[in-house]
Amino acid sequence: DGGITQSPKYLFRKEGQNVTLSCEQNLNHDAMYWYRQDPGQGLRLIYYSQIVNDFQKGDIAEGYSVSREKKESFPLTVTSAQKNPTAFYLCASSTSGYNEQFFGPGTRLTVL
Amino acid sequence: QKEVEQDPGPLSVPEGAIVSLNCTYSNSAFQYFMWYRQYSRKGPELLMYTYSSGNKEDGRFTAQVDKSSKYISLFIRDSQPSDSATYLCAMLNTNAGKSTFGDGTTLTVKP
């Protein structure tokens, strides 16, 4: 089955620890995205990548980092510099930056 | 001011009602328009993807785009309890290669 997978579904971390969220796609999509969603709010763009080995900051990149070493993978690291990391994180991909996006199931991160 | 404004809701309707969900936008670089449905604690699911002004129909769903007024709508006919979800509009900026999302409207369809 083609699709986007995110793992884990739920993640708990202590304050001050870095944590990496996984996103993998087997759709052969060039572009990948990370969003953050807080309760009652829409999606805010953290980082996006339109091609391997290249990525751009979104609207709320502070405290986050990404890498794009492989076409199918776009991991997101939530660093200790992120002041309020508890949120629902969504990964998406599209054929290119000029097409509709398809989403993974999300990872709910809770920082204790 | 946000680039995309979505009617906030929440919206509660009886089963069988016609539902109208609406978004306005201010950025003329938005050229493609999408509607997503998101069930609680799940990833958004693409419902409609449109470009031109006018209507696009898919089953019980109709997406309407008015580029001159910078206004888009999603209509749901014969609404069902399974339509209960949060609906997100999204606008694709083809110059930047990224999308901007509305805050979502939560719909409840009561049996």
Side-chain angles (χ1 to χ4, degrees):
Chain A
D1 288 338
I4 303 170
T5 57
Q6 291 185 243
S7 61
K9 188 173 181 179
Y10 298 97
L11 190 54
F12 297 88
R13 279 296 181 268
K14 292 183 178 180
E15 192 172 340
Q17 290 182 334
N18 291 356
V19 59
T20 297
L21 281 59
S22 169
C23 178
E24 304 277 333
Q25 54 97 1
N26 61 4
L27 301 168
N28 200 32
H29 285 174
D30 284 320
M32 297 186 74
Y33 309 81
W34 274 106
Y35 293 90
R36 169 183 173 140
Q37 188 176 35
D38 293 286
Q41 297 190 28
L43 279 60
R44 292 186 289 168
L45 183 63
I46 304 173
Y47 270 97
Y48 62 110
S49 167
Q50 297 197 23
I51 196 168
V52 175
N53 291 322
D54 188 39
F55 49 83
Q56 290 78 40
K57 292 182 179 180
D59 302 318
I60 56 165
E62 185 175 351
Y64 299 98
S65 66
V66 293
S67 63
R68 186 85 188 277
E69 297 177 0
K70 297 187 295 183
K71 187 175 185 178
E72 59 270 23
S73 178
F74 192 39
L76 173 74
T77 297
V78 184
T79 76
S80 56
Q82 168 51 231
K83 294 180 181 179
N84 187 17
T86 294
F88 189 44
Y89 290 88
L90 288 158
C91 177
S93 70
S94 61
T95 307
S96 75
Y98 311 100
N99 296 95
E100 68 276 31
Q101 296 172 24
F102 297 92
F103 284 84
T107 292
R108 189 166 300 276
L109 172 65
T110 302
V111 175
L112 306 171
Chain B
Q1 184 182 1
K2 290 183 178 180
E3 288 186 309
V4 177
E5 297 279 358
Q6 183 167 359
D7 286 354
L11 203 54
S12 181
V13 301
E15 184 175 354
I18 296 174
V19 176
S20 172
L21 304 165
N22 308 295
C23 290
T24 59
Y25 63 96
S26 57
N27 191 342
S28 296
F30 293 145
Q31 293 296 317
Y32 291 83
F33 308 92
M34 294 148 286
W35 285 97
Y36 289 86
R37 177 175 62 196
Q38 185 178 25
Y39 292 114
S40 182
R41 300 179 181 268
K42 302 289 186 184
E45 169 194 10
L46 180 67
L47 283 177
M48 302 288 279
Y49 176 59
T50 60
Y51 170 73
S52 303
S53 284
N55 294 346
K56 180 179 180 179
E57 190 173 318
D58 184 1
R60 296 185 294 111
F61 298 91
T62 300
Q64 186 177 82
V65 174
D66 183 347
K67 287 188 175 182
S68 62
S69 301
K70 295 187 172 64
Y71 187 90
I72 70 169
S73 297
L74 178 71
F75 298 96
I76 307 174
R77 292 187 301 280
D78 188 24
S79 56
Q80 303 295 310
S82 58
D83 295 328
S84 298
T86 295
Y87 291 80
L88 299 158
C89 64
M91 321 273 178
L92 177 56
N93 182 335
T94 53
N95 295 334
K98 60 178 182 174
S99 296
T100 301
F101 286 76
D103 286 343
T105 301
T106 298
L107 170 68
T108 301
V109 181
K110 296 184 176 180

